Amino acid sequence: MIMKEVYALRFRDILKSKAPDLYSRFNTIVDDGEKSFLRTLGKNDYIHSKSVEKILDKLVPDSVKTNPVFFDSGEIFLLLVAIYLHDIGRSFESSESSHELESGNEIRKNYTKYNLDEFQGEAIAQICEAHADEDIYSIQSCNNNYGIGSISASGRAFDLQKLGALLRLADELDNAHPRVAGIGAQENSIRNRVRDVIPKFEIGIIEIQSVPRNKDEFDRLKQLTSYTQKRLDEILQYIKKAGINYYKIKLDPETYHGDVTLSHEDQNENDYQNIVIRPTSAPNNSPDIPHYLTAQAPPINDEFSYRDDMVEELNKAIKQNKKLALISGLGGIGKTTIAKALYHQIKDEYKHVAWVEYQHSIKDSLLSSFILFDGVEITERYRSIEKFLLEATRDTIIFIDNVSGNDYEGVSFIERLDINVVLTSRASNIGYFTEFPVDFLSEEQCINIFYKYYKLDKARAQEEAIRKLVKLVKCHTLSVELLARAASKPGYSLEMLAADLEEKGFEYPIGLRSIRTHHTAVSKTIAGHLKTLFELVSVNDEEKRILINFSAMPSVEIPGEVETWLGCTTDDIVGLTELGWLTTSDIGYEMHPIIKEAIRLQYKNVEYKDFESIIRYMSSDKYINATDIYTKVRARLNIAESIASYFEDVEKEEIALLFNNIAIVCSSQGDYPKALEWNQKDLKICEKVLGLEHPNTATTYNNIAAVYDKQGDYPKALEWNQKALKIREKVLGLKHPDTAATYNNIAGVYKSQGDYPKALERYQKALKIFEKVLGLEHPNTATTYNNIAAVYDDQGDYPKALEWYRKALKIREKVLGLEHPTAATTYNNIAVVYDNQGDYPKALEWHQKALKIKEKVLGLEHPSTATTYNNIAVVYDSQGDYPKALEWYQKALKTREKVLGLEHPDTATTTDSIARIKTLLN
């Protein structure tokens, strides 16, 4: 199976919705190739144009396509028309001129023929010419910021360099993309050995997936990859302006795995996407993929399960190719108990096994539970997990507990897998899963369960009274357990419990046992009755507060540290576990989903005061450390989000702080859309409660700017930073460190945009404040020196870069110490400057100084240490000392594979370097 990046929106669809008049003109120009000027291209080139359009739709993510900052509807019109006109010069090509330039000349001379005016014709001519080789036509020759007011929706000028760069890249990629089989001149072209082109915007890679039949074809593919990389390098600066950050062309597989014979049945005459050649080192065969894919295994509950027959039935069915199994039934009837028993019975029979607690969606659940690819940015981490699962086989089994029947997208993904999957759910008839409905236990079995928890009648003299209680709940397993625990409370008796229940009219409906298709509705009925039972159980105010807090958390095991979060003690919780309202495990505590519903019914109107302790704790830096392992951070983030969702309409500063902390963690994990969502919720409270000119409001503006900066949306980053600056200058003053910090942030955005004069100007403003207010030896002052040095480094002014790096180093060594990681970072920066200058001995000297600190302070297996290994390898590589370069690249790779994972971009970069060095050595 192939996992592909999918972008839902096409440029032409965006044009249709935003500018229907331009869309109509575009259709008039290119309508199905019927126009005479398109017929002159021939069928093949018209097919080529359609293929280029498809590639462009994939190259540009939806968030960029629809952002008017990057693409005005008029620009989309010009780009789409250029796609279909860029090769018309083939009809006029001569030995003296390329067809690209002839395309431009033809459009200039006959623009009315193509339903364009003179200005539009000139713009499209320049875009078409830009798809030529750089030595024929430089994109810099395009009239950048070309003004065509008649079709500009935003009123701004158009960036023809950006549009030409995109056409150049898409046109080149089509040379590697499958075309319709049977085109005579192209039958032997290497492009027919390419299965697909897959942009991976999040990690800056465009992957060419191939099916080479022999070594010759593979070598030609490698040459194609190198040439395409050259074309990408030509346009990097222009597509970066378009909000796109591709930097590398990658061939998959990257090494030759032997000759391949493709039968006629393997082929589809129109494309090669369905031909799958798996690399010999598929991720699921890697020794780095552990047996247990998740950090937590479910606790064993082998007492009174009475479900051995069903466990055996499930095991047999899975082995007989029923790979998708659904354990369905009412909440509290024993679905999870059965799944846990099956898990422990068969976990050693499979190469890979996972137990996943369902949270929000299957995607979120996999991210929160899987320990694979920790340390990778969130989007790429999920892609890596997806890729592993798509390539895994029947030697892998995963259990997902308490799945929602409405998660159609998640279920659809699971159905595509070739692994064994066991779901538990209240819903029935989920997708193509084979359903195993859980029936009620017998009265005798339920009486035995009752006696498991009721220790006051060892002689079993009150069995008939217990039978009456069992009948009241129609043998519903969880209800039987809760009745037994309630009756065991000191000062209470079976007679008192039965009388109280009778007075309350407590009895499950007669039809309960026959219902199979409306599990959720019936579970709500059960929750209502459990609420009645809860009313009979006396709990004190502290226990009530604890239950309310747990009912607002996800249905997962909550770590024992929850006692600290809630500001309570273990003794406060013990009584609730004895009553069965909470369960305990080696990890901590858990509340059953139906009990959650009962508690929520009992306490419908939650109050902020009941959550004050946990909100205060979650708003501090003690709750989540963003540098912890991903699964721990994700689990805590899910709990915080669940609590926060109850108070989105509560206008308190403490709630705003909680929202802010959630946003920061989301941003640190690369989940920028969610970070912005929580930032906006934080901002809404700050602006209303604190006011539009409060420093905390400015901080939120600053945080929003930081997210946009990470996304590469520099105009928005500047806009929000300017809003923060306006407040800080007015309220805090022109000489406040926070004001200086905002100057620093604005400078960083200008640096990312390549506007070095403005970056230096803002950094100098920040520096002036830091030097005056904080002093010449403050770490913030050193950071600004470092930032200024980085600008000079980017400009190639190496003497000035070294001068400013040394100023930063002097402070850091004196104030933070000679072994501080920040000092090591500066050593590294200085080394890079020497490397850029070609002074390799000095570069190695400074890299070694950085390495000494990192190995001692951070350890041998830290990502930053691995970066220094890689940097040292680069220096030896530049010198042509390939054996030494290989030695250091391999040290970097060993650490990166272990710490970052096989799919991380840094790991991939080092792997590529090793492959190249080995080729040179051979």
Side-chain angles (χ1 to χ4, degrees), residues 662-672 675 706-707 710:
I662 292 173
I664 289 172
V665 175
C666 290
S667 179
S668 72
Q669 293 189 321
D671 195 343
Y672 303 126
V707 177
K710 288 180 180 179

Side-chain angles (χ1 to χ4, degrees), residues 739-788:
T739 305
T742 309
Y743 292 145
N744 246 329
N745 296 338
I746 292 172
V749 177
Y750 282 128
K751 178 178 177 292
S752 298
Q753 289 181 304
D755 192 339
Y756 301 123
K758 283 188 177 178
L760 284 172
E761 177 193 341
R762 297 309 192 282
Y763 278 138
Q764 290 289 357
K765 289 185 75 169
L767 181 61
K768 188 176 180 181
I769 298 172
F770 284 142
E771 286 183 333
K772 186 170 184 178
V773 178
L774 302 179
L776 296 176
E777 295 183 348
H778 193 277
N780 286 11
T781 306
T783 297
T784 309
Y785 290 159
N786 188 84
N787 293 340
I788 292 172

Side-chain angles (χ1 to χ4, degrees), residues 387-402:
K387 184 178 181 184
F388 161 73
L389 291 173
L390 285 163
E391 294 180 346
T393 57
R394 295 293 296 279
D395 60 2
T396 298
I397 186 167
I398 63 174
F399 293 75
I400 310 179
D401 189 33
N402 200 29

Side-chain angles (χ1 to χ4, degrees), residues 857-881:
V857 178
L858 302 177
L860 299 178
E861 293 184 349
H862 193 278
S864 186
T865 307
T867 296
T868 303
Y869 292 153
N870 198 82
N871 290 342
I872 292 171
V874 168
V875 178
Y876 283 120
D877 194 349
S878 300
Q879 286 178 297
D881 189 342

Side-chain angles (χ1 to χ4, degrees), residues 16-289:
K16 184 177 182 180
S17 65
K18 289 189 174 182
D21 55 330
L22 292 179
Y23 176 75
S24 177
R25 287 180 58 195
F26 164 66
N27 268 343
T28 301
I29 295 171
V30 302
D31 185 23
D32 200 28
E34 291 300 317
K35 298 296 178 185
S36 60
F37 63 81
L38 286 176
R39 283 204 297 273
T40 63
L41 292 176
K43 177 183 177 184
N44 299 351
D45 285 310
Y46 184 61
I47 291 169
H48 166 59
S49 292
K50 290 201 294 186
S51 182
V52 169
E53 183 185 359
K54 289 179 181 177
I55 290 173
L56 264 175
D57 284 335
K58 291 200 296 182
L59 276 174
V60 184
D62 290 350
S63 60
V64 176
K65 285 193 196 90
T66 57
N67 189 334
V69 171
F70 295 126
F71 284 98
D72 183 279
S73 54
E75 286 182 314
I76 294 176
F77 170 76
L78 296 178
L79 181 58
L80 288 173
V81 174
I83 288 170
Y84 285 87
L85 300 187
H86 75 281
D87 276 342
I88 62 171
R90 289 190 186 281
S91 303
F92 315 101
E93 188 175 10
S94 65
S95 59
E96 289 80 28
S97 178
S98 69
H99 81 272
E100 293 93 348
L101 298 184
E102 288 297 348
S103 294
N105 290 333
E106 163 64 13
I107 296 166
R108 284 187 185 92
K109 287 188 296 184
N110 298 302
Y111 54 84
T112 56
K113 175 181 175 182
Y114 305 113
N115 199 30
L116 302 167
D117 65 27
E118 182 180 359
F119 300 103
Q120 294 161 14
E122 175 61 32
I124 291 172
Q126 291 188 35
I127 297 168
C128 290
E129 289 167 339
H131 85 286
D133 287 340
E134 186 71 12
D135 55 354
I136 296 175
Y137 182 86
S138 171
I139 293 180
Q140 286 186 337
S141 302
C142 282
N143 186 355
N144 192 27
N145 290 327
Y146 192 87
I148 309 180
S150 62
I151 61 171
S152 176
S154 62
R156 65 173 171 80
F158 295 155
D159 189 340
L160 301 188
Q161 292 177 353
K162 169 186 70 180
L163 302 180
L166 285 171
L167 180 61
R168 179 179 290 185
L169 179 59
D171 182 73
E172 186 56 49
L173 286 171
D174 188 52
N175 291 329
H177 197 273
R179 294 201 186 169
V180 175
I183 299 174
Q186 299 167 352
E187 280 181 348
N188 297 318
S189 171
I190 196 64
R191 67 189 57 159
N192 281 336
R193 295 273 56 82
V194 170
R195 183 174 74 227
D196 202 2
V197 172
I198 301 177
K200 296 184 175 180
F201 170 75
E202 296 79 7
I203 58 171
I205 285 177
I206 302 169
E207 186 176 271
I208 300 174
Q209 293 194 337
S210 61
V211 280
R213 292 170 298 191
N214 50 54
K215 184 66 165 60
D216 177 62
E217 285 189 349
F218 183 77
D219 288 343
R220 286 158 65 198
L221 278 163
K222 292 287 281 186
Q223 292 172 3
L224 180 147
T225 303
S226 299
Y227 178 70
T228 309
Q229 181 67 55
K230 171 178 169 283
R231 301 302 301 275
L232 176 60
D233 291 341
E234 292 170 358
I235 64 168
L236 279 175
Q237 59 181 311
Y238 306 112
I239 63 172
K240 189 174 182 180
K241 289 193 300 181
I244 303 170
N245 65 342
Y246 299 117
Y247 65 91
K248 182 179 179 184
I249 306 293
K250 180 181 179 183
L251 179 63
D252 182 24
E254 294 183 303
T255 53
Y256 183 60
H257 296 295
D259 292 355
V260 174
T261 301
L262 300 177
S263 68
H264 178 72
E265 290 74 21
D266 288 326
Q267 298 184 18
N268 177 313
E269 68 177 6
N270 289 321
D271 69 49
Y272 287 80
Q273 291 185 24
N274 58 349
I275 302 174
V276 180
I277 304 299
R278 286 190 179 136
T280 55
S281 57
N284 54 304
N285 294 325
S286 167
D288 292 295
I289 303 296

